[in-house]
Amino acid sequence: MSAPAATTTDRPQLSLPDTIVPGQIRWVYAVPIVGIHVLALCAIFPWFFSWTGLILMVFGIHFYGQAINLCYHRLLTHRAAKVPKWLEHFFVVVALCCMEDTPGKWVAMHRYHHKHSDHEDDPHTPLVTFLWAHMGWLMIQNRSTHNLTAYKKYAPDILRDRFYMNLEKSYGWIWIYVGHAFLYFLVGFLIGWLGTGWYAGLQFGSSLLVWGVFVRTVAVWHITWSVNSLTHLFGYANYKTDDFSRNNWFVALLTVGEGWHNNHHHDPTSASNQHRWWEIDITYYQIKLLEFLGLATNVIPAKPVRQAKRREAKEREA
Ligand SMILES: [Zn+2]
Ligand SMILES: [Zn+2]
């Protein structure tokens, strides 16, 4: 491992990219982001609480969150492994229940980030401000990144898939989010209603909706956004990379492995972010479990293993 990357003291301050259109708010992002935060705030009222809702929230953070970490990030953006199309599409439907955009846009933005990390064209560097990297960039129009040309340039492989391309054609996919939220309410309502009547049903259904969907959605958002903000600000570096990516144990814990972000920027294609024995990467173990079950192939090993394999192949040819 090489010397640590630049320290926080020589971190430059960047201004907003020139391609930002000041004052031009992306309402289709801003309204759901603010709206779901407000709906999640219902959780402060005891009427909306149930233990089942709380358990569904905790379980959901992992279940839905992994559709982002494992599928959107490692499988689709970096092609760190391959899974059957039906499973990949299933993961994407689960990811859409996180309201974190379509795979085409998500992948394009993340590849854009890797190409320009912490430089002027990075769509979400915290060198502008923490809040910009965390969530601001999603809500303000950026001429260079938020357009079809960028999506086609950075995610052509994703857009070749008809299912993913269809998701780009409208905001109809939002109905997947709405539908799953309604299902949470309906199941809760029916259980409560069959138990002690319609009022109990209304209360139980609402608790599953508020905790199991809205609070969970907000939690998964902030966990994902922390990778863009916190892990480019705080933590240690194993490698000198051309950015300020850091390994952050707190974010690694929340994201079950994505927080080893300096390791990831050093070797983005690798299925594993675990470069030291204690940098536990549960997402990688899940990919290995899928491989063990015969559901994942082409699991990309770490850079030293890939280099050794290439050397061996060259020696065999010679
Ligand atoms: Zn990064
Ligand atoms: Zn990445």
Side-chain angles (χ1 to χ4, degrees), residues 5-6 10-15 17 73 77-78 107-128 132-133 145 154 227-229 231-233 239-246 261-268:
D10 41 55
R11 185 184 288 141
Q13 173 72 44
L14 289 182
S15 49
H73 187 218
T77 307
H78 296 295
V107 166
M109 282 312 99
H110 192 65
R111 286 178 182 164
Y112 214 106
H113 164 66
H114 272 274
K115 190 160 183 234
H116 301 283
S117 299
D118 292 330
H119 291 82
E120 212 170 290
D121 288 335
D122 186 344
H124 48 64
T125 172
L127 298 187
V128 176
W132 171 255
T145 55
Y154 285 90
V227 180
N228 297 338
S229 56
T231 64
H232 276 262
L233 286 173
Y239 305 97
K240 188 164 174 47
T241 51
D242 191 28
D243 52 55
F244 290 89
S245 60
R246 291 288 183 268
H261 203 57
N262 174 254
N263 292 352
H264 174 62
H265 270 272
H266 171 72
D267 188 4

